[in-house]
Amino acid sequence: MHLTRFRFNTARVTARRLLSSPQILHAAVMSSFADIPPTPGDGPRVLWRLDANSRAETYLYIVSPDAPDLTHLVEQAGWPQTGKWDTRDYTPLLQRLNAGGRWAFRLTANPVHSIRRTADEPTKPTAHIGVHHQRGWLLQRQEQAGFKIVEKPAEQRRLPEGDEYELTLHDKRQLAFGKPGQRGRVTLVTVTFDGLLEVTDPDALRRTLTHGLGKAKAYGCGLMTLASTPA
């Protein structure tokens, strides 16, 4: 597995076009591989995420079984003379995961639940809008995903409810974009989670990191990344 980071030159028109549509950016990401990745089955898949630290500093992160070649992105949406991308072997980090270990994490996800208005109506995926339900979406999945979000000590909680965990939500976005050859538009609600987790099942967490969490993975959702915490 490989972890790749690329910085967009947001002053360029092509970069802004790519950033405006998850469908277009997905196609650009998949074009980074000489051999088209197979349709996801039970194996690791190509995952990607945008991190916008500021209007002028936007990064693309990719986790993939094969190393990507982002020459086309450097030429179209980066700095052709000086720009590059950074690809690292992801395996050492995956192998370092042990039960009880704590890591800072970031995840952009598409929190949805299934609803039906009548008993005869098929279920329909519907986005969670409120922070309470979006937080609950992640908490409901943490055990199966191989981790638990660290709880704050009672004396550090600033609110009587809603501040129990080392978890923040930000960069909530409602996206609408077209798909080639189809009428109508795809709509997504995405949110970014930052927090602190403790590993409960290393194998399950490794699967989460390489297979993704939740839906809309083709559109920049589901990629969780980890960072070491201060000693």
Side-chain angles (χ1 to χ4, degrees), residues 28 54 92 117 122 140 142 147 193 198 213 216:
S54 67
R117 289 173 295 183
Q140 290 170 5
Q142 60 180 345
F147 64 89
F193 301 89
E198 181 177 314
L213 184 62

Side-chain angles (χ1 to χ4, degrees), residues 6-26 28 48 50 54-58 73-79 173 175-177:
F6 166 79
R7 183 179 176 184
F8 282 95
N9 181 351
T10 55
R12 302 188 66 179
V13 172
T14 307
R16 295 197 296 269
R17 178 173 176 266
L18 285 164
L19 294 171
S20 70
S21 171
Q23 177 67 33
I24 296 174
L25 186 50
H26 170 70
W48 61 272
L50 288 175
S54 67
R55 180 173 294 184
E57 191 177 72
T58 299
L73 284 180
V74 173
E75 294 174 345
Q76 298 173 19
W79 287 266
R173 304 176 66 195
L175 308 174
F177 53 93

Side-chain angles (χ1 to χ4, degrees), residues 110-220:
N110 169 226
V112 297
H113 63 299
S114 297
I115 64 169
R116 56 159 58 100
R117 289 173 295 183
T118 67
D120 298 329
E121 184 181 62
T123 58
K124 177 183 178 180
T126 302
H128 285 301
I129 302 298
V131 170
H132 173 76
H133 291 103
Q134 290 172 341
R135 184 188 296 112
W137 176 89
L138 182 59
L139 293 172
Q140 290 170 5
R141 286 158 178 76
Q142 60 180 345
E143 181 178 358
Q144 186 174 359
F147 64 89
K148 65 178 180 180
I149 298 173
V150 175
E151 292 190 36
K152 288 183 178 181
E155 63 273 13
Q156 295 182 12
R157 299 175 187 177
R158 294 172 294 177
L159 299 171
E161 185 176 354
D163 194 33
E164 300 92 344
Y165 297 94
E166 296 287 356
L167 180 67
T168 59
L169 284 67
H170 61 96
D171 199 24
K172 178 181 172 182
R173 304 176 66 195
Q174 184 160 349
L175 308 174
F177 53 93
K179 291 184 68 173
Q182 294 188 18
R183 294 183 177 180
R185 294 171 69 77
V186 177
T187 59
L188 292 177
V189 172
T190 69
V191 65
T192 298
F193 301 89
D194 283 342
L196 181 65
L197 64 77
E198 181 177 314
V199 181
T200 56
D201 184 334
D203 289 336
L205 182 55
R206 278 188 277 268
R207 179 180 177 86
T208 298
L209 298 176
T210 57
H211 291 65
L213 184 62
K215 297 184 179 297
K217 298 182 182 73
Y219 300 129

Side-chain angles (χ1 to χ4, degrees), residues 44-128:
R45 60 177 296 157
V46 176
L47 301 167
W48 61 272
R49 186 185 77 222
L50 288 175
D51 282 5
N53 299 329
S54 67
R55 180 173 294 184
E57 191 177 72
T58 299
Y59 289 95
L60 170 68
Y61 288 88
I62 302 172
V63 165
S64 55
D66 299 317
D69 182 340
L70 302 185
T71 303
H72 61 302
L73 284 180
V74 173
E75 294 174 345
Q76 298 173 19
W79 287 266
Q81 298 300 318
T82 61
K84 60 181 181 179
W85 66 93
D86 180 32
T87 295
R88 300 183 181 185
D89 185 358
Y90 205 30
T91 304
L93 183 144
L94 297 174
Q95 292 178 338
R96 285 172 56 195
L97 300 178
N98 295 304
R102 289 192 172 189
W103 298 80
F105 74 90
R106 172 166 289 182
L107 165 71
T108 294
N110 169 226
V112 297
H113 63 299
S114 297
I115 64 169
R116 56 159 58 100
R117 289 173 295 183
T118 67
D120 298 329
E121 184 181 62
T123 58
K124 177 183 178 180
T126 302
H128 285 301

